Short mmCIF file of all heavy atoms in Angstrom, two decimals:
data_model
loop_
_atom_site.label_atom_id
_atom_site.label_comp_id
_atom_site.label_asym_id
_atom_site.label_seq_id
_atom_site.Cartn_x
_atom_site.Cartn_y
_atom_site.Cartn_z
N ARG P 7 13.01 -46.87 19.08
CA ARG P 7 12.34 -46.38 20.29
C ARG P 7 12.22 -44.87 20.34
O ARG P 7 11.47 -44.34 21.17
CB ARG P 7 13.10 -46.86 21.52
CG ARG P 7 13.22 -48.36 21.67
CD ARG P 7 14.18 -48.71 22.80
NE ARG P 7 15.53 -48.21 22.53
CZ ARG P 7 16.52 -48.21 23.41
NH1 ARG P 7 16.29 -48.64 24.66
NH2 ARG P 7 17.71 -47.77 23.08
N PHE P 8 12.92 -44.16 19.48
CA PHE P 8 12.99 -42.71 19.59
C PHE P 8 12.48 -42.02 18.35
O PHE P 8 12.57 -42.54 17.24
CB PHE P 8 14.43 -42.28 19.89
CG PHE P 8 14.97 -42.88 21.16
CD1 PHE P 8 15.96 -43.84 21.12
CD2 PHE P 8 14.44 -42.52 22.39
CE1 PHE P 8 16.42 -44.42 22.28
CE2 PHE P 8 14.91 -43.09 23.56
CZ PHE P 8 15.90 -44.05 23.50
N ARG P 9 11.95 -40.85 18.54
CA ARG P 9 11.44 -40.05 17.44
C ARG P 9 12.60 -39.54 16.59
O ARG P 9 13.74 -39.43 17.05
CB ARG P 9 10.62 -38.87 17.97
CG ARG P 9 9.37 -39.27 18.76
CD ARG P 9 8.65 -38.02 19.23
NE ARG P 9 7.57 -38.34 20.18
CZ ARG P 9 6.32 -38.59 19.83
NH1 ARG P 9 5.97 -38.55 18.56
NH2 ARG P 9 5.40 -38.87 20.73
N VAL P 10 12.27 -39.16 15.37
CA VAL P 10 13.27 -38.63 14.44
C VAL P 10 13.97 -37.41 15.04
O VAL P 10 15.19 -37.25 14.90
CB VAL P 10 12.60 -38.27 13.10
CG1 VAL P 10 13.54 -37.46 12.22
CG2 VAL P 10 12.16 -39.55 12.38
N GLU P 11 13.25 -36.58 15.74
CA GLU P 11 13.84 -35.39 16.37
C GLU P 11 14.99 -35.77 17.30
O GLU P 11 16.07 -35.15 17.27
CB GLU P 11 12.77 -34.65 17.15
CG GLU P 11 13.25 -33.40 17.85
CD GLU P 11 12.12 -32.68 18.54
OE1 GLU P 11 11.44 -33.28 19.39
OE2 GLU P 11 11.91 -31.50 18.20
N ASP P 12 14.79 -36.79 18.11
CA ASP P 12 15.83 -37.22 19.04
C ASP P 12 17.01 -37.86 18.32
O ASP P 12 18.17 -37.69 18.71
CB ASP P 12 15.25 -38.20 20.06
CG ASP P 12 14.16 -37.57 20.92
OD1 ASP P 12 14.33 -36.41 21.31
OD2 ASP P 12 13.14 -38.24 21.16
N ILE P 13 16.71 -38.62 17.27
CA ILE P 13 17.76 -39.32 16.51
C ILE P 13 18.69 -38.32 15.84
O ILE P 13 19.92 -38.42 15.92
CB ILE P 13 17.13 -40.27 15.47
CG1 ILE P 13 16.43 -41.44 16.17
CG2 ILE P 13 18.18 -40.78 14.49
CD1 ILE P 13 15.56 -42.27 15.26
N VAL P 14 18.11 -37.32 15.17
CA VAL P 14 18.92 -36.35 14.43
C VAL P 14 19.66 -35.42 15.38
O VAL P 14 20.80 -35.01 15.13
CB VAL P 14 18.03 -35.55 13.46
CG1 VAL P 14 18.83 -34.45 12.76
CG2 VAL P 14 17.42 -36.48 12.41
N ALA P 15 19.04 -35.10 16.52
CA ALA P 15 19.65 -34.16 17.47
C ALA P 15 20.73 -34.81 18.33
O ALA P 15 21.55 -34.10 18.94
CB ALA P 15 18.59 -33.55 18.38
N GLU P 16 20.75 -36.14 18.40
CA GLU P 16 21.65 -36.82 19.33
C GLU P 16 23.12 -36.42 19.19
O GLU P 16 23.79 -36.15 20.20
CB GLU P 16 21.50 -38.33 19.20
CG GLU P 16 22.29 -39.10 20.25
CD GLU P 16 21.97 -40.58 20.24
OE1 GLU P 16 21.66 -41.11 19.15
OE2 GLU P 16 22.01 -41.20 21.31
N PRO P 17 23.69 -36.35 17.97
CA PRO P 17 25.10 -35.92 17.89
C PRO P 17 25.34 -34.53 18.45
O PRO P 17 26.37 -34.26 19.07
CB PRO P 17 25.39 -35.96 16.38
CG PRO P 17 24.39 -36.90 15.82
CD PRO P 17 23.15 -36.70 16.65
N LEU P 18 24.38 -33.62 18.25
CA LEU P 18 24.51 -32.26 18.77
C LEU P 18 24.51 -32.26 20.29
O LEU P 18 25.28 -31.54 20.93
CB LEU P 18 23.36 -31.40 18.25
CG LEU P 18 23.37 -31.10 16.75
CD1 LEU P 18 22.02 -30.60 16.30
CD2 LEU P 18 24.46 -30.10 16.41
N ILE P 19 23.65 -33.08 20.88
CA ILE P 19 23.56 -33.14 22.34
C ILE P 19 24.82 -33.77 22.93
O ILE P 19 25.38 -33.27 23.92
CB ILE P 19 22.30 -33.93 22.76
CG1 ILE P 19 21.05 -33.20 22.28
CG2 ILE P 19 22.26 -34.12 24.27
CD1 ILE P 19 19.78 -34.01 22.39
N ILE P 20 25.28 -34.84 22.33
CA ILE P 20 26.47 -35.53 22.84
C ILE P 20 27.68 -34.61 22.86
O ILE P 20 28.50 -34.65 23.78
CB ILE P 20 26.77 -36.78 21.98
CG1 ILE P 20 25.72 -37.86 22.26
CG2 ILE P 20 28.17 -37.33 22.27
CD1 ILE P 20 25.81 -39.05 21.34
N HIS P 21 27.80 -33.75 21.85
CA HIS P 21 28.99 -32.91 21.73
C HIS P 21 28.82 -31.53 22.36
O HIS P 21 29.65 -30.65 22.16
CB HIS P 21 29.39 -32.78 20.26
CG HIS P 21 30.08 -34.00 19.73
ND1 HIS P 21 31.45 -34.16 19.77
CD2 HIS P 21 29.59 -35.14 19.19
CE1 HIS P 21 31.76 -35.34 19.26
NE2 HIS P 21 30.66 -35.95 18.89
N ARG P 22 27.77 -31.37 23.18
CA ARG P 22 27.62 -30.12 23.94
C ARG P 22 27.86 -30.41 25.40
O ARG P 22 27.41 -31.41 25.94
CB ARG P 22 26.22 -29.54 23.74
CG ARG P 22 26.04 -28.94 22.35
CD ARG P 22 24.67 -28.32 22.22
NE ARG P 22 24.54 -27.66 20.92
CZ ARG P 22 23.43 -27.06 20.52
NH1 ARG P 22 22.37 -27.03 21.30
NH2 ARG P 22 23.37 -26.49 19.34
N GLU P 23 28.51 -29.48 26.07
CA GLU P 23 28.84 -29.69 27.47
C GLU P 23 27.63 -29.49 28.39
O GLU P 23 27.45 -30.21 29.35
CB GLU P 23 29.97 -28.73 27.88
CG GLU P 23 31.27 -29.02 27.18
CD GLU P 23 31.77 -30.43 27.41
OE1 GLU P 23 31.65 -30.93 28.55
OE2 GLU P 23 32.27 -31.06 26.47
N ALA P 24 26.84 -28.46 28.14
CA ALA P 24 25.69 -28.14 29.01
C ALA P 24 24.48 -28.95 28.58
O ALA P 24 23.91 -28.71 27.53
CB ALA P 24 25.38 -26.64 28.92
N ARG P 25 24.11 -29.95 29.35
CA ARG P 25 22.97 -30.77 29.03
C ARG P 25 22.46 -31.45 30.30
O ARG P 25 23.18 -31.59 31.29
CB ARG P 25 23.32 -31.82 27.98
CG ARG P 25 24.45 -32.77 28.38
CD ARG P 25 24.83 -33.64 27.19
NE ARG P 25 25.81 -34.64 27.58
CZ ARG P 25 27.12 -34.46 27.55
NH1 ARG P 25 27.61 -33.31 27.18
NH2 ARG P 25 27.94 -35.43 27.90
N ASP P 26 21.22 -31.89 30.27
CA ASP P 26 20.63 -32.64 31.37
C ASP P 26 20.53 -34.10 30.96
O ASP P 26 20.49 -34.42 29.78
CB ASP P 26 19.22 -32.12 31.67
CG ASP P 26 19.24 -30.70 32.19
OD1 ASP P 26 20.25 -30.33 32.82
OD2 ASP P 26 18.26 -29.97 31.95
N VAL P 27 20.48 -34.98 31.93
CA VAL P 27 20.29 -36.40 31.65
C VAL P 27 18.96 -36.81 32.25
O VAL P 27 18.76 -36.68 33.46
CB VAL P 27 21.43 -37.26 32.23
CG1 VAL P 27 21.17 -38.73 31.98
CG2 VAL P 27 22.76 -36.83 31.64
N SER P 28 18.05 -37.27 31.40
CA SER P 28 16.72 -37.64 31.88
C SER P 28 16.76 -39.01 32.52
O SER P 28 17.76 -39.70 32.51
CB SER P 28 15.74 -37.65 30.70
OG SER P 28 16.10 -38.64 29.78
N GLY P 29 15.63 -39.43 33.04
CA GLY P 29 15.56 -40.69 33.76
C GLY P 29 15.83 -41.90 32.91
O GLY P 29 16.18 -42.95 33.43
N ASP P 30 15.66 -41.79 31.58
CA ASP P 30 15.91 -42.96 30.73
C ASP P 30 17.36 -43.08 30.31
O ASP P 30 17.72 -43.92 29.49
CB ASP P 30 15.00 -42.94 29.49
CG ASP P 30 15.25 -41.74 28.58
OD1 ASP P 30 16.18 -40.96 28.88
OD2 ASP P 30 14.52 -41.59 27.59
N GLY P 31 18.22 -42.21 30.82
CA GLY P 31 19.65 -42.31 30.53
C GLY P 31 20.10 -41.54 29.30
O GLY P 31 21.29 -41.51 29.00
N ARG P 32 19.17 -40.91 28.58
CA ARG P 32 19.54 -40.15 27.39
C ARG P 32 19.78 -38.69 27.75
O ARG P 32 19.00 -38.08 28.47
CB ARG P 32 18.45 -40.25 26.33
CG ARG P 32 18.41 -41.61 25.66
CD ARG P 32 17.22 -41.72 24.72
NE ARG P 32 17.27 -40.75 23.64
CZ ARG P 32 17.97 -40.91 22.52
NH1 ARG P 32 18.68 -42.00 22.34
NH2 ARG P 32 17.95 -39.99 21.57
N SER P 33 20.87 -38.14 27.22
CA SER P 33 21.16 -36.73 27.45
C SER P 33 20.16 -35.88 26.67
O SER P 33 19.89 -36.15 25.51
CB SER P 33 22.58 -36.41 26.99
OG SER P 33 23.52 -37.16 27.73
N ARG P 34 19.63 -34.84 27.33
CA ARG P 34 18.71 -33.93 26.65
C ARG P 34 18.99 -32.50 27.08
O ARG P 34 19.34 -32.24 28.22
CB ARG P 34 17.26 -34.29 26.99
CG ARG P 34 16.77 -35.57 26.31
CD ARG P 34 15.25 -35.66 26.39
NE ARG P 34 14.76 -36.80 25.64
CZ ARG P 34 14.58 -38.00 26.16
NH1 ARG P 34 14.87 -38.22 27.43
NH2 ARG P 34 14.11 -38.99 25.42
N PRO P 35 18.84 -31.55 26.18
CA PRO P 35 19.04 -30.14 26.53
C PRO P 35 17.82 -29.60 27.26
O PRO P 35 16.79 -30.24 27.34
CB PRO P 35 19.19 -29.48 25.16
CG PRO P 35 18.33 -30.31 24.27
CD PRO P 35 18.47 -31.73 24.78
N SER P 36 17.93 -28.39 27.78
CA SER P 36 16.79 -27.77 28.45
C SER P 36 16.71 -26.31 28.03
O SER P 36 17.62 -25.75 27.45
CB SER P 36 16.95 -27.86 29.96
OG SER P 36 18.15 -27.24 30.38
N GLY P 37 15.53 -25.70 28.32
CA GLY P 37 15.35 -24.28 28.07
C GLY P 37 15.46 -23.90 26.60
O GLY P 37 14.96 -24.57 25.71
N GLN P 38 16.15 -22.78 26.35
CA GLN P 38 16.29 -22.24 25.01
C GLN P 38 16.99 -23.21 24.08
O GLN P 38 16.72 -23.23 22.87
CB GLN P 38 17.06 -20.91 25.07
CG GLN P 38 17.24 -20.24 23.71
CD GLN P 38 15.92 -19.86 23.06
OE1 GLN P 38 14.99 -19.43 23.77
NE2 GLN P 38 15.82 -20.00 21.76
N ALA P 39 17.87 -24.03 24.65
CA ALA P 39 18.60 -24.99 23.82
C ALA P 39 17.66 -25.94 23.10
O ALA P 39 17.94 -26.37 21.98
CB ALA P 39 19.59 -25.78 24.67
N LYS P 40 16.53 -26.28 23.72
CA LYS P 40 15.55 -27.16 23.07
C LYS P 40 14.98 -26.51 21.83
O LYS P 40 14.82 -27.17 20.79
CB LYS P 40 14.42 -27.51 24.04
CG LYS P 40 14.79 -28.53 25.10
CD LYS P 40 13.56 -28.91 25.90
CE LYS P 40 13.90 -29.98 26.95
NZ LYS P 40 12.72 -30.37 27.73
N LEU P 41 14.67 -25.23 21.91
CA LEU P 41 14.13 -24.52 20.76
C LEU P 41 15.17 -24.43 19.65
O LEU P 41 14.85 -24.58 18.46
CB LEU P 41 13.66 -23.13 21.17
CG LEU P 41 12.50 -23.08 22.17
CD1 LEU P 41 12.20 -21.64 22.56
CD2 LEU P 41 11.26 -23.75 21.58
N ASP P 42 16.42 -24.15 20.03
CA ASP P 42 17.49 -24.07 19.05
C ASP P 42 17.70 -25.42 18.35
O ASP P 42 17.90 -25.49 17.14
CB ASP P 42 18.80 -23.64 19.72
CG ASP P 42 18.73 -22.22 20.26
OD1 ASP P 42 17.86 -21.45 19.79
OD2 ASP P 42 19.54 -21.88 21.14
#
């Protein structure tokens, strides 16, 4: 269901404290963190 970008980034997002949770229940970063 998810793009390669989300699959590879998921461990990084899970192990970061500052993150947003979108409506589908998956944690996602915002702002500059997305570019990084």
Side-chain angles (χ1 to χ4, degrees):
R7 300 171 298 170
F8 301 110
R9 297 180 189 269
V10 168
E11 180 177 57
D12 297 320
I13 291 169
V14 176
E16 187 171 32
L18 292 164
I19 297 169
I20 288 172
H21 283 270
R22 287 183 176 178
E23 294 302 320
R25 59 187 186 271
D26 295 330
V27 178
S28 64
D30 63 4
R32 287 174 61 83
S33 298
R34 287 195 174 92
S36 58
Q38 181 62 38
K40 284 186 178 180
L41 296 176
D42 294 340

